[in-house]
Amino acid sequence: GQLAGDFRSVDVDGNLCVVVNFDGDMVSIDVSDPENPVELATFGGAYDAVVDGSLVYSVWNGISTYDLSDPSTPVLLDNHNETVFNLINMAHDGHLVAGSSMSDGTAMNGLFIFDISDPTSIVRTGLSLGLSPADDMHFRGGRIVTVRSTGIAVHEIDPSGGTLSLLGDDWPYNFEAVAVHGDLIYAG
């Protein structure tokens, strides 16, 4: 099946799908019958969102957590907002979320790390400023791969999520999407 709309982000976990449309609305969708997806609720505002069980993490001017135990009635658990960043995309790995920011004149470009082990109290644990905004990112095993118009960068995070170091930034090509499988990076 299909749903009408223009979407900037799609993520699914089990039978719960969350899409972000170009107006910034998030929509929860029951995909238990893939031939007949059912829209359940429109909520929040986001540039990007990831689903983890019944939790949804989203980024816009900060990072928010929603409880979708009842996907037709999303409940905001936390909204971690700092005026120094304007997050435009994110990636998730266990208890950490990475977000990339874009300068809007007041915000700073960079890569931010958040501890989400308590979804009701999100804490920023690390950052690396001065990086151009990522068009896409993938987070796995303590490494974040970002792609942007200037190439691919690989970052490593210490186990606490506090220290972020650049491992490599040597591929000067214009990429917009990335996926990682094992030791391989797929970008296009």
Side-chain angles (χ1 to χ4, degrees), residues 140 180-186:
R140 180 173 295 157
V180 176
H181 182 72
D183 292 333
L184 298 176
I185 298 171
Y186 300 87

Side-chain angles (χ1 to χ4, degrees), residues 13-176:
D13 190 355
N15 292 326
L16 177 61
C17 177
V18 172
V19 297
V20 178
N21 64 32
F22 276 95
D23 293 331
D25 296 324
M26 289 184 286
V27 180
S28 60
I29 303 167
D30 179 349
V31 293
S32 58
D33 178 359
E35 294 297 318
N36 299 296
V38 177
E39 289 187 39
L40 300 172
T42 299
F43 63 102
Y47 282 114
D48 197 5
V50 295
V51 181
D52 183 15
S54 64
L55 297 174
V56 173
Y57 301 96
S58 65
V59 291
W60 188 295
N61 290 327
I63 180 170
S64 300
T65 310
Y66 291 86
D67 180 357
L68 271 71
S69 295
D70 176 357
S72 62
T73 311
V75 176
L76 177 65
L77 297 177
D78 191 22
N79 180 23
H80 183 86
N81 191 357
E82 297 178 38
T83 58
V84 297
F85 59 88
N86 180 21
L87 296 174
I88 57 172
N89 58 36
M90 65 188 300
H92 170 264
D93 186 31
H95 71 282
L96 298 175
V97 166
S100 174
S101 71
M102 165 182 68
S103 175
D104 65 0
T106 59
M108 299 180 286
N109 286 340
L111 186 61
F112 296 81
I113 308 301
F114 300 91
D115 183 338
I116 56 170
S117 55
D118 177 357
T120 64
S121 181
I122 300 167
V123 177
R124 180 168 53 108
T125 60
L127 68 124
S128 180
L129 298 176
L131 301 171
S132 58
D135 291 317
D136 195 15
M137 57 190 348
H138 192 96
F139 191 177
R140 180 173 295 157
R143 290 194 174 158
I144 302 168
V145 178
T146 60
V147 293
R148 57 200 181 285
S149 60
T150 57
I152 298 174
V154 179
H155 311 268
E156 186 168 56
I157 300 171
D158 73 25
S160 70
T163 303
L164 188 67
S165 57
L166 183 64
L167 295 179
D169 191 10
D170 298 327
W171 306 282
Y173 301 100
N174 184 0
F175 296 112
E176 294 185 8

